[in-house]
Amino acid sequence: MTGAEFVPLSLPPLVIGICAAIACAVPGNFLLLRKQALIGDAISHVVLPGIVLAFLVTGTLSAWPMMIGAGIAALVAVGLIEAVRRLGRIEPGAAMGVVFTAMFAGGVLLLEQSDTSSVHLDVEHALYGNLESLIWLDATGWSSLFDLEALAGMPPELWRMAITTLVVLVMCVLFWRPLKLSTFDEGFAQTIGLPVNLIGLGLVVTAAIAAVAAFDAVGSIIVIAMFICPPAAARMMTNSLEAQVLWSVVFATVSAVLGYVLAGYGPLWLGFENAVSAAGMIATVSGGILALAAAFGPCRTRSGAPVEV
Amino acid sequence: MLLEALTLQLGYNATLVTVGAMLLGIAAGATGTFLFLGKRALVSDAISHATLPGVALAFMLMVAFGGEGRSLPGLLLGSAVTSAIGLLCVSALTHRTRLSEDAAIGAVLSVFFGFGIVLLTVIQSMNAGRQAGLESFLLGSTAGMLWNDAVVIALGGTLVLLAVLILRRPMTTVAFDPEFAAGAGMNVRRIELAMMGLAMAITVVGLKIVGLILIVALLIIPAVAARFWSHRVGHVVLLAGTFGGVAGYVGAAISATAPALPTGPIIVLVAFAIFLMSLLIAPARGVLAAMLRHRRFQAQVHVRQGLLALATDQPIYERLTLRLMKRRGLVRADGVATETGQAQAARALLDERRWQVLRSDPAHAEAAAHYDGLTPLDTVLTPDQLKALDQGLGPRATT
C-alpha cells in the first residue's frame, strides 16, 4: 500500500486507536490491582445518558458539550454507586450493577424520546464507535504530515485523544509512588499520611476522562476491553508493577494495530468484500492476547497457590 | 390508557408481552437473589454480553442451511452455547490464574461482546435486509413478538422458576457459606454451576424482551431491593420475585401505551423505582429508619447529659439539649429544672454513680460491658445485685 492511500485512510484511525488503547490500559492496571476493574464497564454504560442530555441541552453534536456531559454522568455514577453502597450497606458489585443498568436504561429512554433520528446519534454508534470513518481527507501522502494546511484538516478526535493520552500518562508518572503505595498497602499508605481516598478518587476520575475521550472516538466496547484485557494479560507476565504497566502498553498497542489491520484487510484476504467492525476486532484481539497469557504467561498463577493437577 | 394497559385491554399483542415480561421478572428476581447473596451479581453481566456472538453465529448457521435465520428458539440456543462458554472462561480465569473474579468478568464480557459485534458486521455485509431485527437483541424489542416467541419466553420463565424452587435449599447454603456446604457433603461446584446455569437461562429467555445489556438489571435490582425488607432468605427470594414480576408487568404495560417508550428500559426503570423506595422506607435497613434511629439515639444522649448537668448544678449551654429537655417538661423556659426534671436528674446521677462503682470492680466485668452511658443499670442487674452494689456507694448518693 502506498503512502497516498495509507496516510489519509488508515493512519488517523490507527493513531487514534493506539492512543485510546494506551490511555485506557494504563489506569486499568491500577483498577485491576484494586479489584475495581469493572469501573470501566460501569463508566462506559453511564456516559450514554450524559451524552444524550448534553445533546438535548445544547442542541448540537459538537464534541465539547458531549464530553462534559459524559464526564458529569460518570462522576454522578461514581457518587451514586458509593452512596448506594454506604446507605444501603450493599456489596460494591451489586451497587454498581443497580446504578449502571438504571442509568443506561434512562439514557436509552431519553434517546428514544428525543428526536435524534435526524442526527448521527444512536445506541449502536455509541457501542461500536466510528473508528473507520475518522479519515483525513486533506492528506496526499507522507509529506502531508509536515504540511500545516493539511494538518489542520485532521480529524479533531485525533488531537483530543492524543492530548488525553498525554494527560493520563503524565498523571500516572507524577503520582506513581503514592498510587503504587496506596494500591498495594492501603493501611501503610494511610499511616505515612497519604490521602488514600483522594488518590482513589483521582484514579477513577482519570479513568473516566480516558473513557469519555475514547468513547467519543472509538465506542464503548474498546474502552471496556482496554481497561481490562491488556492489564490482565500483563499481570500474567510479571510480578513487578513497572514491568506490568509497560507490558500492558505493549499489549494495548498490539491489540489496536493488529485489530485494525485484521478488521480492514482480514476479510479481503479471506475473499470477502467488506471490512468488519474495527472496534470489535480490537477487543477480540486483546482477548486472544489475554488467552495466550493465561495459558503460557510465566506468572499466571497466584504465587504460593497450589498447582492444580 | 395506562389503566387499560394494566388491565390487559390493549389487545392481544400487548397482553402477550405484559404477561411474558411478568413471568420473566418473577423468575429473574428469584434467580438473581442467589447470585446477589453469593456476591456474584456481576457474573450476569458477563453472561449477558456473551450471548451476542451466539445469536450472530446461530443466525449465520441457520442462513447457511437455507433457513430464514430468525427463528427465536434457534437464536436462543446459539446464545445459550456462547454464554455457557463465556461462563466457563470466567470460571477458568478465576480458578486457574491470579486474576480476581471481577477482572475475569470484565475480560469475558468485553471480548465476547466485541467478537459478537465483529460477527454482526459480517452479517450486515452478507445480506442486507434479512438481518433486520437482529440488533434489537442489544436493547430488546417486543414490537415484533409472535405467539411462538411468547410461548418460548413464558415456558422458559416457568421452567427456571420451578428449578429455583427445587434447588432453593442447596443454593442458599452454597450462596451463604460454601465451606460449610462442602463440609456437609454437598457438591459445591455443581450447585454453583446450576446457579449460574439458571441465571444463564434467564438471560437467554429475556433477550427478546429486555435485551442483552439490560437483562442484568432484572437479575440484580429486584434482589437488592428485596434485601432491604428482610434478612430471611425465603422472604428475600419471594419478595425479589414479586418485585421482578411487578417491574415486568407494570413496565411492559407502560411501554404499551406509547410507541416511543421502549419496553426494556421502562421495565428497568420501574425496577429501579422499587429499589429506591426500598432503600428509603424499608423498616429495618432503610435510610429513613436509620435516620430516625440516629435521631432517637442523639436525643437520648443529649437528655442524659442534660440531666447529669442538672443534678450537679452545672449550667446547660447546648441549645439542642435545652430544647429537648424543655419539650419533655424537664426544665422551664429559663433553664431551671422542674420537679420531674429534678427527680429524673437525681435518678440519672444515681445510675451514673452505680455504673462507676460497677465498672471499677473487676468482679462485674461482664455486666460492665453493657455500659454505653445510656442503658439504665437496673435493666442489666437484678434488684438484689443492685442492693449489694449500693453498699459500695457513699452515704450521700443513697439518701
Side-chain angles (χ1 to χ4, degrees):
Chain A
M1 186 179 356
T2 61
E5 207 179 312
F6 177 78
V7 176
L9 295 182
S10 289
L11 186 66
L14 257 180
V15 175
I16 292 171
I18 294 171
C19 285
I22 294 176
C24 293
V26 170
N29 280 295
F30 296 98
L31 292 176
L32 184 86
L33 290 168
R34 290 161 166 253
K35 302 211 189 314
Q36 292 179 324
L38 285 169
I39 283 271
D41 180 32
I43 289 174
S44 55
H45 282 92
V46 302
V47 294
L48 182 67
I51 288 182
V52 182
L53 273 182
F55 171 73
L56 291 180
V57 170
T58 61
T60 62
L61 264 176
S62 60
W64 282 114
M66 298 230 164
M67 285 182 71
I68 292 170
I72 291 174
L75 284 181
V76 168
V78 170
L80 270 182
I81 292 172
E82 197 59 18
V84 166
R85 197 173 71 78
R86 292 207 179 152
L87 286 178
R89 278 158 291 160
I90 299 169
E91 48 121 356
M96 199 186 278
V98 169
V99 170
F100 88 72
T101 53
M103 283 184 76
F104 186 73
V108 176
L109 182 63
L110 273 178
L111 200 57
E112 300 276 329
Q113 285 282 298
S114 57
D115 183 29
T116 48
S117 51
S118 54
V119 289
H120 189 62
L121 178 69
D122 54 53
V123 178
E124 277 134 40
H125 163 71
L127 288 171
Y128 310 168
N130 57 347
L131 194 53
E132 297 90 338
S133 66
L134 299 174
I135 48 180
W136 180 19
L137 284 176
D138 298 350
T140 50
W142 287 108
S143 57
S144 301
L145 286 178
F146 308 98
D147 181 356
L148 276 181
E149 211 170 306
L151 277 178
M154 279 241 199
E157 283 88 353
L158 198 150
W159 301 120
R160 269 205 300 279
M161 204 59 244
I163 292 170
T164 309
T165 310
L166 204 67
V167 169
V168 168
L169 289 177
V170 167
M171 293 282 277
C172 274
V173 172
L174 276 183
F175 293 101
W176 180 265
R177 269 187 61 80
L179 253 178
K180 186 176 175 180
L181 271 176
S182 66
T183 299
F184 283 109
D185 195 341
E186 199 175 324
F188 175 67
Q190 210 152 22
T191 334
I192 61 170
L194 285 176
V196 178
N197 289 329
L198 204 66
I199 295 172
L201 185 70
L203 177 63
V204 173
V205 170
T206 311
I209 292 172
V212 168
F215 188 88
D216 168 50
V218 298
S220 69
I221 190 61
I222 295 192
V223 174
I224 307 173
M226 289 305 127
F227 265 120
I228 298 180
C229 291
R235 180 113 171 83
M236 318 271 194
M237 304 302 291
T238 169
N239 279 325
S240 120
L241 182 64
E242 287 79 4
Q244 183 188 324
V245 172
L246 287 181
W247 271 112
S248 75
V249 169
V250 172
F251 286 150
T253 311
V254 171
S255 303
V257 175
L258 200 60
Y260 183 80
V261 171
L262 281 180
Y265 304 103
L268 301 182
W269 297 334
L270 292 175
F272 296 101
E273 284 174 23
N274 296 294
V276 297
S277 157
M281 203 45 133
I282 291 174
T284 309
V285 171
S286 74
I289 294 176
L290 174 59
L292 286 178
F296 305 110
C299 303
R300 59 185 183 277
T301 51
R302 277 180 203 98
S303 51
V307 183
E308 270 188 69
V309 277
Chain B
M1 188 73 165
L2 181 61
L3 195 71
E4 282 168 11
L6 284 173
T7 50
L8 300 178
Q9 283 165 358
L10 274 190
Y12 176 71
N13 211 20
T15 305
L16 267 186
V17 173
T18 312
V19 173
M22 181 182 73
L23 275 172
L24 176 73
I26 295 175
T31 313
T33 306
F34 295 101
L35 284 186
F36 169 57
L37 293 178
K39 299 193 174 24
R40 283 271 168 76
L42 283 176
V43 173
S44 54
D45 206 12
I47 299 177
S48 68
H49 282 79
T51 56
L52 186 61
V55 170
L57 280 174
F59 178 88
M60 289 161 88
L61 271 179
M62 284 192 283
V63 170
F65 284 108
E68 217 251 319
R70 278 167 63 186
S71 117
L72 187 64
L75 296 179
L76 296 191
L77 187 69
S79 64
V81 171
T82 48
S83 60
I85 297 174
L87 208 50
L88 291 178
C89 288
V90 171
S91 167
L93 281 176
T94 317
H95 287 116
R96 307 217 161 181
T97 73
R98 57 181 9 186
L99 289 187
S100 57
E101 192 167 34
D102 66 324
I105 289 171
V108 165
L109 84 85
S110 58
V111 173
F112 275 67
F113 194 68
F115 186 57
I117 285 176
V118 169
L119 292 177
L120 276 189
T121 50
V122 172
I123 290 175
Q124 266 165 7
S125 63
M126 262 168 54
N127 190 336
R130 263 209 296 195
Q131 94 283 3
L134 208 55
E135 274 145 359
S136 70
F137 278 97
L138 288 178
L139 297 170
S141 113
T142 45
M145 203 193 297
L146 305 171
W147 170 248
N148 286 345
D149 301 348
V151 169
V152 170
I153 291 164
L155 211 66
T158 317
L159 283 180
V160 171
L161 202 58
L162 277 178
V164 170
L165 284 179
I166 295 169
L167 290 174
R168 67 187 186 284
R169 288 195 186 285
M171 289 203 302
T172 308
T173 318
V174 169
F176 271 112
D177 197 342
E179 276 161 31
F180 170 76
M186 291 180 177
N187 189 332
V188 174
R189 198 79 182 259
R190 200 172 295 167
I191 294 168
E192 271 181 352
L193 229 61
M195 215 187 306
M196 306 284 177
L198 289 178
M200 196 182 92
I202 288 292
T203 310
V204 168
V205 170
L207 284 183
K208 183 77 182 175
I209 293 187
V210 219
L212 67 88
I213 302 180
L214 289 174
I215 183 72
V216 187
L218 267 194
L219 283 164
I220 298 181
I221 300 181
V224 178
R227 181 69 186 84
F228 284 109
W229 297 89
S230 173
H231 55 268
R232 301 195 36 192
V233 184
H235 294 176
V236 177
V237 174
L238 272 182
L239 275 171
T242 313
F243 289 164
V246 169
Y249 188 88
V250 175
I254 293 176
S255 94
T257 60
L261 295 174
T263 316
I266 297 280
I267 293 179
V268 173
L269 288 176
V270 172
F272 185 68
I274 297 176
F275 160 80
L276 268 189
M277 260 161 31
S278 307
L279 172 75
L280 291 178
I281 62 172
R285 291 173 44 120
V287 171
L288 206 64
M291 257 163 64
L292 287 178
R293 253 197 322 272
H294 176 75
R295 284 286 294 273
R296 214 160 40 229
F297 177 74
Q298 194 185 26
Q300 254 178 320
V301 172
H302 276 270
V303 169
R304 170 83 173 195
Q305 292 305 319
L307 286 174
L308 287 178
L310 278 188
T312 49
D313 285 331
Q314 284 163 12
I316 304 170
Y317 297 112
E318 239 288 320
R319 286 218 189 117
L320 179 63
T321 315
L322 271 178
R323 208 168 54 231
L324 285 167
M325 296 187 69
K326 246 182 277 177
R327 206 185 301 153
R328 293 176 188 208
L330 299 175
V331 295
R332 291 202 314 254
D334 54 5
V336 178
T338 61
E339 243 166 70
T340 32
Q342 280 168 345
Q344 285 196 23
R347 222 173 310 148
L349 187 65
L350 174 63
D351 194 50
E352 195 63 27
R353 290 254 170 85
R354 281 169 169 171
W355 269 115
Q356 270 172 14
V357 176
L358 181 86
R359 272 154 37 97
S360 61
D361 184 353
H364 289 293
E366 201 180 318
H370 289 279
Y371 179 80
D372 55 7
L374 288 177
T375 320
L377 190 59
D378 41 16
T379 62
V380 178
L381 298 184
T382 62
D384 286 345
Q385 283 176 311
L386 264 185
K387 214 172 275 172
L389 189 72
D390 281 345
Q391 289 172 354
L393 289 177
R396 203 186 72 126
T398 42
T399 48

